[in-house]
Amino acid sequence: MELRAFFIPLAIFLSSAIVNGDGLSIGYYRHACPQAEEIVSKTVENAIKGNPGVAAALIRMHFHDCFVRGCDGSILIDSTTGNSAEKDSPANNPSLSGFDIIDSAKSRIEAECPGVVSCADIVAFAARDSAQQAGGLYWAVEGGRRDGRVSRASDIPGNLPPPSFDVNQLTQLFASKQLSQDEMVTLSGAHSIGVSHCSSFTADRLYNFSGRGVQDPSMDPRYALQLKAKCPASSSSSSVVVPLDPLSPTNLDVKYYVDLQVKRGLLKSDQTLMTNDATSRLVKINAKYPTIWRKNFGRAMVKMGAIDVLTGSQGEIRKQCRVPN
């Protein structure tokens, strides 16, 4: 990809920064399991060929993993009789997918290098590889995360932003994860791909804005009509989905920011970026300068991927991603 060379200096910069911080490092499996990243890359590539929507799912999975208990692979753990896990929270079920792809990559890696590569690292590699497949982005991913042993749906509230959040609430939540407002706007560009269930936006934006039984005035009326045709108020189906970005729903690009400027952000948490002087300025810059956004997106993903990581003797290396050892 043409951007690979562009990101090499970033990789060099980050590799030196990592040593002094969270204990992660680029090329972590270079000796212990040199084929690990390639296995993940091929698994993701094949999955996306069969279903382009996989790219959005795997990027979202990394985000949802890191924002709850840190980037420890806890999003992958299955629920048990006595515990509802993160993946079964309403914020993740049924909208979050791609678990089978992580399972496939883990199985192949275990066959080559048993007990070496964490599930948390596989999720991080898969997110990067998805961005590369969907938009030609590339950044060097640090490895060395260890897997957590705990996953609770009750940890989701307060850690994952709901689609109803405004810009101030988003800024505060991202700040609690040591991510700046600039990084929040940059990472929001991941909504250039993927879909949303009608239930995530119909009440707030199409039919009952602020409890007044009207349409959100910040939404383009023509866009709203299109959405109402797909998501009628009388529909009780929870399976109907629409693209987050109507311009290029399978391409990870800056069209998301173009949408926001013409009032075509699907979720309130998207369109709210145009209600603040600082964030709206960043939206306009990202829309106009895609190379800047790509560079910043890679940097922000690296920083997000280091949130509250377990390293060294912490946690474990799961044999199966769905079950703690």
Side-chain angles (χ1 to χ4, degrees), residues 255-294:
K255 298 292 177 56
Y256 165 81
Y257 299 105
V258 175
D259 289 334
L260 298 186
Q261 292 179 80
V262 292
K263 301 182 177 181
R264 290 192 166 217
L266 182 64
L267 307 178
K268 177 183 177 181
S269 56
D270 292 319
Q271 196 60 49
T272 190
L273 299 183
M274 293 301 295
T275 65
N276 173 282
D277 289 343
T279 57
S280 64
R281 177 182 62 83
L282 291 169
V283 166
K284 294 171 185 176
I285 290 173
N286 289 337
K288 188 174 182 179
Y289 301 104
T291 300
I292 292 177
W293 172 73
R294 291 182 175 204

Short mmCIF file of all heavy atoms in Angstrom, two decimals, residues 255-294:
data_model
loop_
_atom_site.label_atom_id
_atom_site.label_comp_id
_atom_site.label_asym_id
_atom_site.label_seq_id
_atom_site.Cartn_x
_atom_site.Cartn_y
_atom_site.Cartn_z
N LYS A 255 -14.92 10.54 4.04
CA LYS A 255 -16.28 10.89 3.65
C LYS A 255 -17.19 11.08 4.88
O LYS A 255 -18.18 11.81 4.83
CB LYS A 255 -16.85 9.82 2.73
CG LYS A 255 -16.10 9.65 1.42
CD LYS A 255 -16.25 10.85 0.52
CE LYS A 255 -15.43 10.70 -0.75
NZ LYS A 255 -15.74 9.49 -1.52
N TYR A 256 -16.86 10.41 5.95
CA TYR A 256 -17.60 10.59 7.21
C TYR A 256 -17.63 12.06 7.60
O TYR A 256 -18.68 12.60 8.01
CB TYR A 256 -16.94 9.76 8.30
CG TYR A 256 -17.33 10.09 9.72
CD1 TYR A 256 -18.51 9.59 10.27
CD2 TYR A 256 -16.51 10.88 10.53
CE1 TYR A 256 -18.86 9.87 11.59
CE2 TYR A 256 -16.86 11.15 11.85
CZ TYR A 256 -18.03 10.66 12.37
OH TYR A 256 -18.38 10.94 13.67
N TYR A 257 -16.49 12.73 7.48
CA TYR A 257 -16.40 14.15 7.86
C TYR A 257 -17.13 15.04 6.85
O TYR A 257 -17.66 16.08 7.21
CB TYR A 257 -14.94 14.56 7.98
CG TYR A 257 -14.20 13.77 9.04
CD1 TYR A 257 -13.30 12.76 8.68
CD2 TYR A 257 -14.40 13.99 10.39
CE1 TYR A 257 -12.62 12.02 9.64
CE2 TYR A 257 -13.75 13.26 11.36
CZ TYR A 257 -12.86 12.27 10.98
OH TYR A 257 -12.20 11.52 11.94
N VAL A 258 -17.16 14.61 5.60
CA VAL A 258 -17.94 15.32 4.59
C VAL A 258 -19.42 15.23 4.95
O VAL A 258 -20.16 16.22 4.88
CB VAL A 258 -17.68 14.74 3.18
CG1 VAL A 258 -18.60 15.39 2.15
CG2 VAL A 258 -16.22 14.91 2.79
N ASP A 259 -19.87 14.05 5.35
CA ASP A 259 -21.26 13.85 5.76
C ASP A 259 -21.66 14.81 6.88
O ASP A 259 -22.74 15.41 6.85
CB ASP A 259 -21.47 12.41 6.26
CG ASP A 259 -21.41 11.38 5.16
OD1 ASP A 259 -21.70 11.71 4.00
OD2 ASP A 259 -21.06 10.21 5.47
N LEU A 260 -20.79 14.93 7.87
CA LEU A 260 -21.12 15.77 9.03
C LEU A 260 -21.34 17.22 8.63
O LEU A 260 -22.21 17.91 9.19
CB LEU A 260 -20.01 15.68 10.09
CG LEU A 260 -19.73 14.31 10.70
CD1 LEU A 260 -18.71 14.44 11.83
CD2 LEU A 260 -21.01 13.66 11.22
N GLN A 261 -20.59 17.69 7.65
CA GLN A 261 -20.70 19.09 7.25
C GLN A 261 -22.00 19.39 6.51
O GLN A 261 -22.40 20.56 6.42
CB GLN A 261 -19.50 19.47 6.38
CG GLN A 261 -18.19 19.48 7.16
CD GLN A 261 -17.01 19.85 6.28
OE1 GLN A 261 -16.77 21.02 6.00
NE2 GLN A 261 -16.28 18.84 5.84
N VAL A 262 -22.65 18.36 5.99
CA VAL A 262 -23.93 18.56 5.30
C VAL A 262 -25.07 17.93 6.10
O VAL A 262 -26.11 17.57 5.56
CB VAL A 262 -23.89 18.01 3.86
CG1 VAL A 262 -22.95 18.84 3.01
CG2 VAL A 262 -23.50 16.53 3.84
N LYS A 263 -24.85 17.80 7.42
CA LYS A 263 -25.87 17.34 8.36
C LYS A 263 -26.35 15.92 8.08
O LYS A 263 -27.52 15.59 8.24
CB LYS A 263 -27.07 18.30 8.36
CG LYS A 263 -26.72 19.73 8.74
CD LYS A 263 -27.94 20.62 8.78
CE LYS A 263 -27.59 22.04 9.22
NZ LYS A 263 -28.78 22.92 9.28
N ARG A 264 -25.41 15.07 7.65
CA ARG A 264 -25.75 13.68 7.37
C ARG A 264 -25.00 12.71 8.29
O ARG A 264 -24.70 11.59 7.91
CB ARG A 264 -25.48 13.35 5.90
CG ARG A 264 -26.47 14.05 4.98
CD ARG A 264 -26.41 13.53 3.55
NE ARG A 264 -27.56 13.97 2.80
CZ ARG A 264 -28.19 13.24 1.87
NH1 ARG A 264 -27.77 12.01 1.61
NH2 ARG A 264 -29.23 13.71 1.22
N GLY A 265 -24.70 13.15 9.50
CA GLY A 265 -24.20 12.23 10.50
C GLY A 265 -25.35 11.38 11.01
O GLY A 265 -26.41 11.91 11.36
N LEU A 266 -25.17 10.07 11.04
CA LEU A 266 -26.28 9.20 11.38
C LEU A 266 -26.66 9.29 12.85
O LEU A 266 -27.83 9.45 13.20
CB LEU A 266 -25.94 7.75 11.02
CG LEU A 266 -27.05 6.73 11.28
CD1 LEU A 266 -28.27 7.01 10.41
CD2 LEU A 266 -26.54 5.30 11.06
N LEU A 267 -25.67 9.17 13.73
CA LEU A 267 -25.93 9.16 15.16
C LEU A 267 -25.78 10.56 15.75
O LEU A 267 -25.02 11.38 15.23
CB LEU A 267 -24.96 8.21 15.86
CG LEU A 267 -24.89 6.78 15.33
CD1 LEU A 267 -23.84 5.99 16.09
CD2 LEU A 267 -26.25 6.10 15.40
N LYS A 268 -26.46 10.80 16.84
CA LYS A 268 -26.29 12.07 17.54
C LYS A 268 -24.83 12.25 17.94
O LYS A 268 -24.28 13.35 17.85
CB LYS A 268 -27.17 12.12 18.79
CG LYS A 268 -26.98 13.38 19.62
CD LYS A 268 -27.83 13.37 20.88
CE LYS A 268 -27.57 14.61 21.74
NZ LYS A 268 -28.38 14.60 22.98
N SER A 269 -24.18 11.16 18.36
CA SER A 269 -22.78 11.22 18.77
C SER A 269 -21.84 11.51 17.60
O SER A 269 -20.68 11.86 17.82
CB SER A 269 -22.37 9.91 19.45
OG SER A 269 -22.60 8.80 18.61
N ASP A 270 -22.34 11.38 16.38
CA ASP A 270 -21.56 11.80 15.20
C ASP A 270 -21.80 13.29 14.91
O ASP A 270 -20.87 14.09 14.89
CB ASP A 270 -21.97 10.98 13.97
CG ASP A 270 -21.57 9.52 14.06
OD1 ASP A 270 -20.46 9.25 14.54
OD2 ASP A 270 -22.37 8.66 13.66
N GLN A 271 -23.06 13.64 14.70
CA GLN A 271 -23.39 15.00 14.28
C GLN A 271 -23.02 16.03 15.34
O GLN A 271 -22.77 17.19 15.03
CB GLN A 271 -24.87 15.11 13.94
CG GLN A 271 -25.24 16.35 13.15
CD GLN A 271 -24.50 16.43 11.82
OE1 GLN A 271 -24.49 15.48 11.06
NE2 GLN A 271 -23.89 17.58 11.53
N THR A 272 -22.93 15.61 16.60
CA THR A 272 -22.60 16.55 17.67
C THR A 272 -21.21 17.15 17.49
O THR A 272 -20.92 18.21 18.07
CB THR A 272 -22.69 15.84 19.04
OG1 THR A 272 -22.60 16.82 20.08
CG2 THR A 272 -21.57 14.82 19.23
N LEU A 273 -20.36 16.54 16.70
CA LEU A 273 -19.02 17.08 16.48
C LEU A 273 -19.07 18.42 15.75
O LEU A 273 -18.10 19.18 15.79
CB LEU A 273 -18.16 16.10 15.67
CG LEU A 273 -17.92 14.72 16.30
CD1 LEU A 273 -17.00 13.89 15.42
CD2 LEU A 273 -17.33 14.86 17.71
N MET A 274 -20.20 18.74 15.13
CA MET A 274 -20.34 20.02 14.44
C MET A 274 -20.93 21.10 15.33
O MET A 274 -21.14 22.22 14.90
CB MET A 274 -21.23 19.85 13.19
CG MET A 274 -20.59 18.99 12.11
SD MET A 274 -19.01 19.64 11.50
CE MET A 274 -19.53 21.20 10.75
N THR A 275 -21.18 20.78 16.60
CA THR A 275 -21.79 21.76 17.50
C THR A 275 -20.77 22.49 18.36
O THR A 275 -21.14 23.35 19.16
CB THR A 275 -22.80 21.07 18.43
OG1 THR A 275 -22.11 20.16 19.30
CG2 THR A 275 -23.85 20.31 17.64
N ASN A 276 -19.52 22.17 18.21
CA ASN A 276 -18.45 22.74 19.02
C ASN A 276 -17.41 23.35 18.09
O ASN A 276 -17.04 22.73 17.09
CB ASN A 276 -17.85 21.62 19.89
CG ASN A 276 -16.63 22.04 20.66
OD1 ASN A 276 -15.53 22.12 20.11
ND2 ASN A 276 -16.79 22.28 21.95
N ASP A 277 -16.94 24.55 18.40
CA ASP A 277 -16.00 25.23 17.50
C ASP A 277 -14.73 24.41 17.26
O ASP A 277 -14.26 24.28 16.12
CB ASP A 277 -15.61 26.60 18.08
CG ASP A 277 -16.74 27.61 18.02
OD1 ASP A 277 -17.70 27.37 17.25
OD2 ASP A 277 -16.67 28.62 18.73
N ALA A 278 -14.17 23.83 18.33
CA ALA A 278 -12.91 23.09 18.19
C ALA A 278 -13.11 21.81 17.39
O ALA A 278 -12.31 21.49 16.49
CB ALA A 278 -12.35 22.77 19.57
N THR A 279 -14.16 21.05 17.70
CA THR A 279 -14.35 19.79 17.00
C THR A 279 -14.82 19.99 15.56
O THR A 279 -14.43 19.25 14.67
CB THR A 279 -15.35 18.89 17.75
OG1 THR A 279 -16.60 19.58 17.92
CG2 THR A 279 -14.80 18.49 19.12
N SER A 280 -15.63 21.01 15.32
CA SER A 280 -16.07 21.27 13.94
C SER A 280 -14.89 21.71 13.07
O SER A 280 -14.83 21.37 11.88
CB SER A 280 -17.18 22.32 13.91
OG SER A 280 -16.72 23.58 14.38
N ARG A 281 -13.94 22.44 13.66
CA ARG A 281 -12.74 22.81 12.91
C ARG A 281 -11.96 21.57 12.51
O ARG A 281 -11.48 21.46 11.38
CB ARG A 281 -11.86 23.73 13.78
CG ARG A 281 -10.55 24.14 13.11
CD ARG A 281 -9.71 25.00 14.04
NE ARG A 281 -9.35 24.27 15.26
CZ ARG A 281 -8.31 23.44 15.34
NH1 ARG A 281 -7.56 23.20 14.28
NH2 ARG A 281 -8.04 22.84 16.48
N LEU A 282 -11.85 20.61 13.42
CA LEU A 282 -11.14 19.37 13.11
C LEU A 282 -11.88 18.55 12.05
O LEU A 282 -11.25 17.92 11.19
CB LEU A 282 -10.96 18.54 14.38
CG LEU A 282 -9.99 19.13 15.40
CD1 LEU A 282 -10.10 18.37 16.72
CD2 LEU A 282 -8.55 19.09 14.89
N VAL A 283 -13.20 18.56 12.11
CA VAL A 283 -13.99 17.87 11.09
C VAL A 283 -13.66 18.43 9.71
O VAL A 283 -13.43 17.68 8.75
CB VAL A 283 -15.50 18.00 11.38
CG1 VAL A 283 -16.33 17.60 10.16
CG2 VAL A 283 -15.89 17.17 12.59
N LYS A 284 -13.61 19.74 9.61
CA LYS A 284 -13.34 20.38 8.32
C LYS A 284 -11.91 20.09 7.84
O LYS A 284 -11.68 19.86 6.65
CB LYS A 284 -13.57 21.88 8.44
CG LYS A 284 -15.03 22.25 8.70
CD LYS A 284 -15.20 23.72 9.02
CE LYS A 284 -16.65 24.03 9.38
NZ LYS A 284 -16.83 25.45 9.80
N ILE A 285 -10.96 20.10 8.76
CA ILE A 285 -9.57 19.80 8.40
C ILE A 285 -9.45 18.36 7.90
O ILE A 285 -8.81 18.08 6.88
CB ILE A 285 -8.63 20.03 9.60
CG1 ILE A 285 -8.52 21.52 9.90
CG2 ILE A 285 -7.24 19.43 9.34
CD1 ILE A 285 -7.75 21.84 11.16
N ASN A 286 -10.07 17.43 8.62
CA ASN A 286 -9.99 16.02 8.23
C ASN A 286 -10.63 15.79 6.86
O ASN A 286 -10.12 14.98 6.06
CB ASN A 286 -10.66 15.14 9.28
CG ASN A 286 -9.86 15.06 10.56
OD1 ASN A 286 -8.67 15.29 10.57
ND2 ASN A 286 -10.53 14.76 11.67
N ALA A 287 -11.75 16.46 6.61
CA ALA A 287 -12.42 16.30 5.32
C ALA A 287 -11.56 16.82 4.18
O ALA A 287 -11.55 16.25 3.08
CB ALA A 287 -13.77 17.02 5.35
N LYS A 288 -10.83 17.88 4.44
CA LYS A 288 -10.04 18.53 3.39
C LYS A 288 -8.68 17.89 3.19
O LYS A 288 -8.13 17.88 2.07
CB LYS A 288 -9.88 20.01 3.74
CG LYS A 288 -9.24 20.83 2.63
CD LYS A 288 -9.24 22.32 2.99
CE LYS A 288 -8.65 23.16 1.86
NZ LYS A 288 -8.67 24.61 2.19
N TYR A 289 -8.12 17.33 4.27
CA TYR A 289 -6.75 16.79 4.20
C TYR A 289 -6.73 15.33 4.65
O TYR A 289 -6.38 15.02 5.80
CB TYR A 289 -5.82 17.63 5.07
CG TYR A 289 -5.75 19.09 4.69
CD1 TYR A 289 -6.41 20.05 5.46
CD2 TYR A 289 -5.06 19.51 3.56
CE1 TYR A 289 -6.36 21.39 5.11
CE2 TYR A 289 -5.01 20.85 3.20
CZ TYR A 289 -5.67 21.78 3.98
OH TYR A 289 -5.62 23.10 3.64
N PRO A 290 -7.11 14.42 3.77
CA PRO A 290 -7.18 13.00 4.15
C PRO A 290 -5.86 12.42 4.62
O PRO A 290 -5.84 11.53 5.48
CB PRO A 290 -7.69 12.31 2.88
CG PRO A 290 -7.43 13.27 1.77
CD PRO A 290 -7.54 14.63 2.37
N THR A 291 -4.74 12.90 4.08
CA THR A 291 -3.44 12.37 4.50
C THR A 291 -3.17 12.69 5.97
O THR A 291 -2.62 11.87 6.71
CB THR A 291 -2.32 12.93 3.62
OG1 THR A 291 -2.55 12.56 2.26
CG2 THR A 291 -0.97 12.37 4.05
N ILE A 292 -3.56 13.88 6.40
CA ILE A 292 -3.40 14.25 7.80
C ILE A 292 -4.25 13.35 8.68
O ILE A 292 -3.79 12.85 9.73
CB ILE A 292 -3.78 15.73 8.01
CG1 ILE A 292 -2.76 16.65 7.33
CG2 ILE A 292 -3.88 16.06 9.50
CD1 ILE A 292 -3.10 18.13 7.42
N TRP A 293 -5.49 13.12 8.26
CA TRP A 293 -6.36 12.26 9.07
C TRP A 293 -5.79 10.84 9.16
O TRP A 293 -5.78 10.24 10.23
CB TRP A 293 -7.76 12.20 8.48
CG TRP A 293 -8.60 11.18 9.18
CD1 TRP A 293 -9.13 11.28 10.44
CD2 TRP A 293 -8.94 9.87 8.71
NE1 TRP A 293 -9.80 10.12 10.77
CE2 TRP A 293 -9.69 9.24 9.73
CE3 TRP A 293 -8.70 9.19 7.52
CZ2 TRP A 293 -10.21 7.95 9.58
CZ3 TRP A 293 -9.20 7.91 7.37
CH2 TRP A 293 -9.94 7.31 8.40
N ARG A 294 -5.30 10.32 8.07
CA ARG A 294 -4.75 8.96 8.09
C ARG A 294 -3.57 8.85 9.05
O ARG A 294 -3.46 7.89 9.81
CB ARG A 294 -4.32 8.55 6.67
CG ARG A 294 -5.48 8.37 5.71
CD ARG A 294 -4.99 7.93 4.35
NE ARG A 294 -6.11 7.65 3.47
CZ ARG A 294 -6.05 6.86 2.42
NH1 ARG A 294 -4.91 6.26 2.12
NH2 ARG A 294 -7.10 6.66 1.67
#
